[in-house]
Amino acid sequence: MATRSESGPTVYLNARLLDPRSGLDVQGALFADKGVIQDLGPRLFNDGVPEGVEVVDCAGACLAPGLVDMRVQLGEPGHEHKETIQTASKAAAAGGITSMVALPNTDPVVDDVAGIEFIARRAREEKLVKVYGYGAVTRRLEGRELVEIGLLSEYGALGFTDGLQAVADAQVMRRALSYSRTVDTVILQHPQEPSLAGGVMNSGELATRLGLAGNHPLNEVIMIERDLRLVEMTGGRYHVANVTCAESVEVVRRAKARGLPVTASTAPHYMILNETAVGDYRTFAKVTPPLRSEADREAVAAGVADGTIDALASDHTPHDQDAKRLPFSLAEPGIVGLETLLPLSLALVHNGRMSLLELLRRLTEGPAEILKGRADLTPGLPCDIVIFDPERPATIDPDRFRSKSKNSPFEAHMVQGVVLRSVVDGRSIFALDSGRRAA
C-alpha cells in the first residue's frame, strides 16, 4: 500500500470493519474525504467507485479506529537524546496509534500553560499522530502546591498526574479531586505508596535470592484504597494507571460495583511478563511498578478481559543505554512500547480470553472515554484509523524501532499481528513497506 500525504477522497475497500462503540464487525468499505469519515458499511460502493477517488484495497485486513495511547513518556523537552516528539510520533504511527497523551514529567515539568502549548505546537509542526498532554498535579512534581487545574484544562490538558510519582499527601490529593470535579477532568495516580515503595523489583523469594530490595504489591493496594476513600469524599474522577497486582484489580472491581467514578489501565508487559523476567538482573525488565508474580500477571490479564481494567496503554518510557546499562538497583525503570502495544495486546485474543472487538475497546474507546474524547468510526468524525492483520506473525526487533530508544525486554519475542497502515485526519502517515516487519 502506498503512502500519500494529502487527505483527498479515499475509499478503503475489502476491509473487516471493526468499531467497538457500535459493535460493528462486518466486511465492507469506508469512505473518507476532507479528513472526515463520510460513510461506511457492507454495501458501500458495491456498484463501483466514482472517478477521482483514491482506492486502498485492504485485502481483507481489519480496519478499526486508531489506537489511543493514554500513557506516553516523551523525552522532549529536556531529554531529546532519549526521544523527541517527532521520533515518538513516528513510532506511534508504526504501532497504529493515532492519538497519544504525554506525561508531564519532562524538563521543565508541564505545570503551566506554556508547557501545554509547547506540546500542542510541536505536534502541529510534526503533523503525524495527535499528541496531547497531561498537566502535573503539583508544581514541579513536588507533591505540595496544586497547579491551576482549571486554567490548564482550558488550554487543553486532558487530565492531571505527577507521572512516575504518586501524589502522596492525602490532603493534596483530596483537593485535586475536588477541583477535578469542578472542571470535569480526571486525576491519574501512579499507585505506589512512596514510604513503602523503596524496592527495585517485586518482593518475594526471587528478590531475596538476587539480593535486591523488594517492592510489595500492598504498596499499590494501600495507595489505591486511600485514594478511593477520597473519591468517596469528593466525587472527583480518579484513574489508576499501571495496575499490576491481583488485589488492586479486586479493589477497583469493588469500587466500580459501588458506583464510584474510578477507571483503571495497565500495560501489556504486566499481562505478559512476570517477575522472573528480571531473573538475571536484566535491567530492560525493570519497570515501575515492578513486574509481579505469575498469579498477579494472570489476575491483571483477567481484569482486562472482563472490563475491570478499562484501557491498555503502552507506558512508553524511553531510555538510552547509559540509563539502562547499570547495576539493576541503579538502572532507570521503564520500557518502550509504542510499536508493540497492539501486537502484544493481541495475545489476549489469540489465547481466547476476549474477542477482537473487546480488545479494541480497551485500546480505543476505553481510553478515549476516560479523557472525554471519541475514538470510533461514526461518520462526521475525523478519519483516524488503523489497518492491521491480526494473524500475521512477526518477531519483535528493537533495532528496527522508530523510537530513539530501544529498551525493550521483548527482543526476539514472537507475536501475531502487524500494523499495515495508520491514517490521521484522512492522511496516511504510515504504511508498512512490502516485506518489512512491523515490529
Side-chain angles (χ1 to χ4, degrees):
M1 294 188 288
T3 304
R4 52 178 292 169
S5 57
E6 65 272 26
S7 56
T10 306
V11 59
Y12 300 88
L13 289 177
N14 302 320
R16 180 184 173 187
L17 302 171
L18 290 150
D19 185 8
R21 185 181 183 86
S22 64
L24 181 72
D25 184 357
V26 296
Q27 290 297 129
L30 181 145
F31 176 55
D33 192 15
K34 299 176 181 175
V36 173
I37 297 171
Q38 303 290 340
D39 201 359
L40 73 161
R43 290 179 290 279
L44 190 65
F45 297 121
N46 275 358
D47 297 329
V49 177
E51 290 186 6
V53 174
E54 175 87 1
V55 175
V56 176
D57 187 349
C58 298
C62 296
L63 186 157
L67 276 54
V68 178
D69 190 347
M70 63 181 297
R71 188 175 175 86
V72 176
Q73 180 71 63
L74 297 176
E76 185 179 357
H79 299 283
E80 287 83 354
H81 63 290
K82 295 184 178 182
E83 196 78 286
T84 65
I85 290 177
Q86 181 190 61
T87 56
S89 296
K90 289 180 177 179
I97 296 161
T98 56
S99 295
M100 60 180 178
V101 193
L103 294 173
N105 48 308
T106 48
D107 185 13
V109 172
V110 180
D111 59 5
D112 59 16
V113 171
I116 294 295
E117 289 186 329
F118 172 81
I119 294 170
R121 176 175 60 78
R122 288 287 294 117
R124 287 195 301 271
E125 290 171 352
E126 297 302 336
K127 291 193 69 175
L128 289 166
V129 304
K130 296 174 178 175
V131 185
Y132 304 95
Y134 294 119
V137 177
T138 63
R139 294 199 182 279
R140 299 174 292 281
L141 308 178
E142 292 176 345
R144 295 191 293 269
E145 182 185 359
L146 287 182
V147 302
E148 295 181 84
I149 289 176
L151 181 63
L152 267 63
S153 292
E154 288 179 16
Y155 277 83
L158 294 191
F160 294 85
T161 174
D162 273 357
L164 303 183
Q165 298 175 206
V167 179
D169 188 294
Q171 179 73 324
V172 172
M173 179 55 102
R174 184 192 69 79
R175 292 174 55 211
L177 288 165
S178 295
Y179 281 119
S180 75
R181 185 180 184 187
T182 303
V183 300
D184 193 19
T185 189
V186 62
I187 304 297
L188 302 97
Q189 177 71 297
H190 184 67
Q192 290 288 280
E193 166 50 57
S195 64
L196 299 171
V200 295
M201 70 168 292
N202 190 44
S203 64
E205 182 183 339
L206 183 57
T208 302
R209 181 152 52 86
L210 293 175
L212 296 173
N215 176 313
H216 198 280
L218 281 179
N219 299 338
E220 181 175 313
V221 182
I222 287 171
M223 181 59 80
I224 297 172
E225 289 192 320
R226 183 208 71 172
D227 287 348
L228 290 174
R229 294 289 184 177
L230 298 173
V231 171
E232 285 184 291
M233 183 188 300
T234 62
R237 282 203 293 126
Y238 175 75
H239 179 84
V240 192
N242 279 352
V243 171
T244 69
C245 60
E247 200 162 348
S248 297
V249 175
E250 186 55 35
V251 166
V252 171
R253 186 177 286 124
R254 291 199 299 266
K256 287 187 167 190
R258 292 181 3 241
L260 293 181
V262 57
T263 52
S265 61
T266 193
H269 42 271
Y270 294 117
M271 302 187 303
I272 295 173
L273 301 177
N274 62 32
E275 60 187 339
T276 62
V278 303
D280 57 354
Y281 300 97
R282 195 176 180 211
T283 57
F284 277 21
K286 182 180 179 183
V287 289
T288 177
L291 299 171
R292 301 295 189 185
S293 69
E294 175 60 18
D296 287 321
R297 184 204 64 77
E298 170 65 25
V300 169
V304 173
D306 70 17
T308 301
I309 296 177
D310 307 81
L312 284 165
S314 71
D315 193 28
H316 181 76
T317 309
H319 287 302
D320 58 7
Q321 291 202 5
D322 287 346
K324 280 292 190 182
R325 304 289 188 194
L326 293 168
F328 195 88
S329 59
L330 299 178
E332 295 284 350
I335 68 172
V336 290
L338 289 169
E339 292 164 76
T340 55
L341 175 59
L342 180 60
L344 289 175
S345 299
L346 279 167
L348 290 175
V349 177
H350 294 308
N351 63 26
R353 301 197 74 136
M354 62 194 305
S355 70
L356 181 55
L357 209 55
E358 278 300 305
L359 175 68
L360 288 171
R361 191 186 307 280
R362 310 289 185 268
L363 293 163
T364 59
E365 188 188 21
E369 285 189 343
I370 293 166
L371 303 171
K372 295 288 183 181
R374 293 280 297 272
D376 55 80
L377 299 182
T378 301
L381 290 182
C383 183
D384 298 345
I385 59 174
V386 57
I387 300 170
F388 65 98
D389 182 346
E391 304 297 335
R392 187 166 161 181
T395 303
I396 293 175
D397 180 1
D399 288 338
R400 298 172 71 89
F401 285 171
R402 282 78 174 170
S403 171
K404 273 191 176 183
S405 296
K406 316 297 179 187
N407 51 306
S408 170
F410 291 105
E411 183 177 11
H413 187 86
M414 300 293 292
V415 292
Q416 231 179 317
V418 170
V419 173
L420 304 176
R421 180 181 287 252
S422 297
V423 178
V424 172
D425 288 331
R427 295 176 293 109
S428 184
I429 59 169
F430 169 80
L432 184 65
D433 297 335
S434 177
R436 182 175 178 182
R437 293 172 297 176

